[in-house]
Structures are given as C-alpha cells and as structure tokens.
Amino acid sequence: MGKLLIKDVVILPMDGVEREQPWFTGDIVVEGNIIKEVGEDLRYKYKGYEIIEGKGLLAMPGMLNCHTHAAMTLLRSYADDLPLQEWLEEKIWPREAHLQSDDIYWGTMLSILEMIKSGTTAFADMYFFMERGAQAVTESGIRASLCKGMIGLGKAKGEQDLAVAEELVKEWNGKADGRITCLLGPHAPYTCPPDYLREVIKLSDKLGVGLHIHLAETLKEVSDIEEQYGMRPLELMESIGLFENRHVIAAHCVHLSDKEVDILVKNKVGVAHNPQSNMKLASGIAPIPKLLQAGAIVGLGTDGAASNNNLDLLEEVRYCALLHKVSAQDPTVTPAYQVLDMATRMGAQVMGLDKVGSLKPGYKADIVLLDLQKPHLTPLHDVAANVVYSAQSSDVKTVIIDGKVVMKNKQMLTMDEERVMYEAQRCADDLLKRE
Ligand SMILES: [Zn+2]
C-alpha cells in the first residue's frame, strides 16, 4: 500500500465546510487510494511516508469533467465556425461513421493526457467502441464514468446499441480498481424517441446503473420536441419516468422553463454545464445562477474537443464565471469559489461518485498540485480567485489519482506522451482519408 505525505502545502480542500478563509497551509496524508488526514504538522505524526515537498504549491482536489466525448480529440479543428446542425450532419457525423476501434483508443489516450496535464482527474464520457476507451482509462490511471452513446432511430440500430451498451456495463463497471463506472448513454430526446427511452430505462433498472443524456441543448431541440410531443424536453423525460430512482447526468440544460428547473432540482439530476461548447456552437446561455439558487447539482464539462476545442477545465471554470456575470450584467453572480466547487465537489455529485471531489479524510486521493511560484499567481490574496481567474493549465505540476502519482513534476508516469501524440495524429490523418 502506497503511503504519501504532501508536506507544507497550501490546501484548498473544497470540502463544503464554511470557513472564513477557505484555504490553509498544512500536510496531507495518503494511504493506499484514500486521504487519511489533512491538517497541520502531520509530518511529525506519520513517519516513513514518501514525502512530496509541497512548499510553493497549492493542493486542490482533481477536477471532474462531467461531459465529454473523449476520442473526438481526433476531430479537433476539423470543422469550426459552423451552425450546429450543419456542423453535425455535414462534418462530424460523416467522419464519425468512419471511426474504428483503434482510433477510439488513441483519441481517448490523447484526451486523457490533455486532461491530466490540466488538472482533471475524472471524466464522464459518451462515445462508441467504449471498451477501447475503458482500456485507455485502465492504463492511464484516470477515473472515468463511461457510456456508449445510443441512437434509437430505427429498430435494428436501437437494439444493437442496447446490446452493446449492456455488454460494456457487464464487462467494465467497477473495473480498474473501481476507477471505472459505467452508465447507459441514450444520446438525446431527438435521437431516442420515448418508446426507445423506455427500453433504456428498463435496461438501466436491470443493470442497476444510471444514465448520461444530452438535454435541452438548443432552441431547435426544444421546439421540435414541443411540436412532436406537446411537451418541453425535460417534461417529456419526466413523463416517461427517466429520472425516477436513478442517477442521471443531463448535459447542457441550456433552454429551461421554470417548471423544468424544478424538475431537475426535485429529481436531483446532475447537470453538466459546458459553457465553452455552448458559446462556440452559439447554443445559448444555461441559467446556471438560477439553477444553483434553486438547489440544483451543477458540474462543469468541456463537451468534445471538436466543439471547444480543448479539454482544459481551468478554462471552463473561468468561462463559466465570466459568461454568467456578463449575461446577468452582475459581477456578483458565479463567484470564484462557487465555480471551483462546481468543478470539484459538486462535479463528483453530478457524476454520482461517492467520496470524490474534496480533500477530506476518507475521500479518494485525487489531488492536483499547482505551482504557485508564478508571476500571474503572485500575490496570494485569494487562492480560489487566483485559480479561477489567473491559473493556467501549465501551472499543474503533479497529479495524484486514486492514491497513485500519475504525473510528477510535469512528467507523465503512466503514459508515453510522445507516442500518444504520434499515434493520435496518425489516426486523425487516416480518418480523413477513409471513404
Ligand atoms: Zn455532448
């Protein structure tokens, strides 16, 4: 069992405890994959531990990317600045039809490399050939919640997707020392009609796993669903029992009525907010301050790298804070500490992960060490504000996931960085040639 002691480090525990100042200097003790103790002068109490010198560093919980399509890194900068439907129908979907299992492995490895290097220690992924995504998660040491994206248009395709999704759950749920959890991933109300969603719900009950779905992303989706079913997307989902007694990650939730806000809160649905993707695809502005005020569980996601175009959650927290301030024309909304809470503690709730997202005894040891000895992080009046408004992903120095050091002093220990970039470029080149 690994025994680590991070010594003399500035600690931002993000543990939901109200303090006058939410950070302090101290030590963190890790035993196995669990945080044993957080406090002052622990180095005198715990002897014989591997020491990580924390002076000049900040320890914060690893961030959680609550919604992405990891292997879409291969389509980064392939098609930009287009309207959503044209982007999907003419560019992305035709290329995705040519993706092969090896592409998913290397595309996911690339995404994980990028995420770990920018301080993300867990992600919720929806894509296909997910057994190869699971392989990448296992080898890299990251934590992930995986689902196969399911499309219910057409009986044969729908049934095939149910079978593949079931297989993924049976094969991979709880694997990689418990770092992998599996969900079912019905893509969206406009690709999964109610009868199909009822089948998905039945399967989720049978397997005892939750769901990950895109909801209320665009105005077009809302008006199409309303026209077809006489209800808005979240009302439709509630009417077919999608939220009943199961964990659901709802990505986007951009266009919501007050009634739909209540539906999300009442059913404790985890909302994955993707500010940069919503801005880039001009989908709209999700009512995040209103959701938080109402008591909704909200985390942050990047969405796929084709609509972002990176997987850097430090950027996402900053965009989140700024977008809602300018939208409300009120600088007091989405303050720094609150958006960082969305990226950590609340993000773990959105992903349905127990004892993850805070630096707290008994919690999983998912810890990011950020280098504070930087001009843009000096002085240190408010640590949370420095992280949200000033920090860069290049400040991330060391990353610990599930008690294992996966990056030390910027050196990846679980992945061959050059090889991953080489293979990803090769897969991306091949993908564009396939007809
Ligand atoms: Zn998405």
Side-chain angles (χ1 to χ4, degrees):
M1 185 174 65
K3 291 178 165 186
L4 290 174
L5 193 147
I6 308 166
K7 186 177 108 194
D8 213 9
V9 67
V10 177
I11 302 167
L12 188 58
M14 305 307 299
D15 54 4
V17 176
E18 294 257 347
R19 294 182 185 87
E20 204 174 311
Q21 179 186 293
W23 69 91
F24 50 88
T25 299
D27 302 340
I28 301 171
V29 178
V30 174
E31 275 189 16
N33 65 342
I34 301 292
I35 295 170
K36 174 124 172 117
E37 201 171 341
V38 179
E40 282 172 30
D41 297 329
L42 299 177
R43 72 205 84 152
Y44 304 111
K45 182 172 161 190
Y46 295 91
K47 305 281 187 188
Y49 284 61
E50 183 189 332
I51 300 284
I52 295 180
E53 181 55 65
K55 212 170 172 55
L57 304 180
L58 164 70
M60 59 177 269
M63 293 182 286
L64 295 97
N65 185 347
C66 296
H67 177 70
T68 190
H69 312 282
M72 283 186 93
T73 45
L74 297 186
L75 292 168
R76 188 190 333 255
S77 73
Y78 166 62
D80 298 280
D81 312 320
L82 294 171
L84 176 68
Q85 287 309 315
E86 189 184 333
W87 176 75
L88 276 176
E89 287 165 17
E90 289 173 29
K91 294 288 182 179
I92 299 298
W93 286 343
R95 271 309 118 199
E96 283 185 336
H98 291 290
L99 280 170
Q100 297 171 356
S101 132
D102 241 22
D103 302 329
I104 302 305
Y105 173 74
W106 288 113
T108 307
M109 287 293 267
L110 181 67
S111 78
I112 294 172
L113 182 59
E114 187 185 352
M115 285 192 273
I116 290 176
K117 285 169 73 83
S118 51
T120 292
T121 54
F123 68 105
D125 196 15
M126 178 197 289
Y127 219 48
F128 22 82
F129 299 115
M130 283 310 297
E131 65 284 358
R132 300 304 304 280
Q135 185 193 349
V137 170
T138 304
E139 291 170 9
S140 63
I142 201 166
R143 193 181 298 285
S145 175
L146 307 176
C147 69
K148 184 209 165 7
M150 305 157 81
I151 306 284
L153 303 171
K155 197 166 158 44
K157 168 74 174 144
E159 278 175 7
Q160 192 198 352
D161 281 3
L162 281 164
V164 173
E166 179 168 4
E167 171 100 8
L168 179 80
V169 174
K170 286 182 172 165
E171 194 72 24
W172 286 100
N173 196 24
K175 292 289 163 63
D177 302 324
R179 284 184 287 109
I180 294 179
T181 48
C182 290
L183 303 171
L184 298 182
H187 173 261
Y190 58 93
T191 49
C192 296
D195 278 347
Y196 187 67
L197 285 172
R198 288 191 187 95
E199 293 294 314
V200 176
I201 287 168
K202 238 188 267 168
L203 183 59
S204 108
D205 287 341
K206 180 180 136 188
L207 298 170
V209 296
L211 306 176
H212 185 170
I213 184 169
H214 296 89
L215 285 177
E217 181 173 2
T218 63
L219 280 176
K220 181 175 174 356
E221 172 189 339
V222 174
S223 62
D224 286 356
I225 295 290
E226 255 186 327
E227 197 175 305
Q228 217 172 339
Y229 305 104
M231 282 180 266
R232 296 174 62 89
L234 278 111
E235 295 171 343
L236 178 66
M237 295 303 107
E238 190 183 41
S239 77
I240 61 177
L242 192 94
F243 304 129
E244 269 166 36
N245 306 317
R246 73 180 57 77
H247 167 242
V248 178
I249 302 176
H252 298 303
C253 298
V254 174
H255 301 284
L256 301 174
S257 66
D258 286 350
K259 189 175 162 197
E260 288 176 296
V261 170
D262 288 344
I263 291 173
L264 288 171
V265 174
K266 187 175 69 188
N267 291 289
K268 298 191 172 63
V269 177
V271 175
H273 174 44
N274 306 271
Q276 283 201 79
S277 170
N278 295 161
M279 290 166 81
K280 185 155 185 278
L281 294 169
S283 305
I285 303 171
I288 299 304
K290 190 194 260 187
L291 280 165
L292 291 168
Q293 186 75 33
I297 306 162
V298 186
L300 291 171
T302 57
D303 213 349
S307 62
N308 188 304
N309 286 5
N310 62 35
L311 306 178
D312 181 347
L313 267 185
L314 281 171
E315 276 192 7
E316 223 60 45
V317 293
R318 190 168 309 147
Y319 275 95
C320 176
L322 299 179
L323 173 63
H324 298 292
K325 288 176 199 303
V326 74
S327 166
Q329 297 195 33
D330 177 357
T332 68
V333 301
T334 49
Y337 188 82
Q338 187 177 46
V339 292
L340 208 51
D341 195 44
M342 290 162 67
T344 54
R345 190 186 63 91
M346 244 197 303
Q349 293 175 13
V350 170
M351 281 178 60
L353 300 177
D354 194 29
K355 304 213 164 175
V356 172
S358 300
L359 301 185
K360 203 170 163 176
Y363 273 56
K364 298 276 162 53
D366 295 356
I367 305 169
V368 165
L369 299 176
L370 224 89
D371 190 353
L372 294 173
Q373 307 288 85
K374 296 284 178 83
H376 58 274
L377 296 175
T378 307
L380 208 57
H381 291 305
D382 183 323
V383 173
N386 267 11
V387 172
V388 172
Y389 297 121
S390 308
Q392 299 164 2
S393 56
S394 53
D395 303 331
V396 174
K397 198 170 178 191
T398 293
V399 176
I400 298 163
I401 305 175
D402 211 37
K404 287 203 179 69
V405 181
V406 295
M407 183 172 87
K408 188 168 194 178
N409 296 327
K410 299 197 162 224
Q411 289 301 308
M412 290 297 303
L413 303 183
T414 55
M415 308 169 89
D416 180 340
E417 200 170 329
E418 270 180 39
R419 167 107 199 265
V420 170
M421 286 193 287
Y422 172 83
E423 299 285 0
Q425 181 70 54
R426 179 184 60 76
C427 289
D429 290 344
D430 279 0
L431 177 61
L432 293 203
K433 284 185 211 134
R434 277 175 219 145
E435 288 305 334

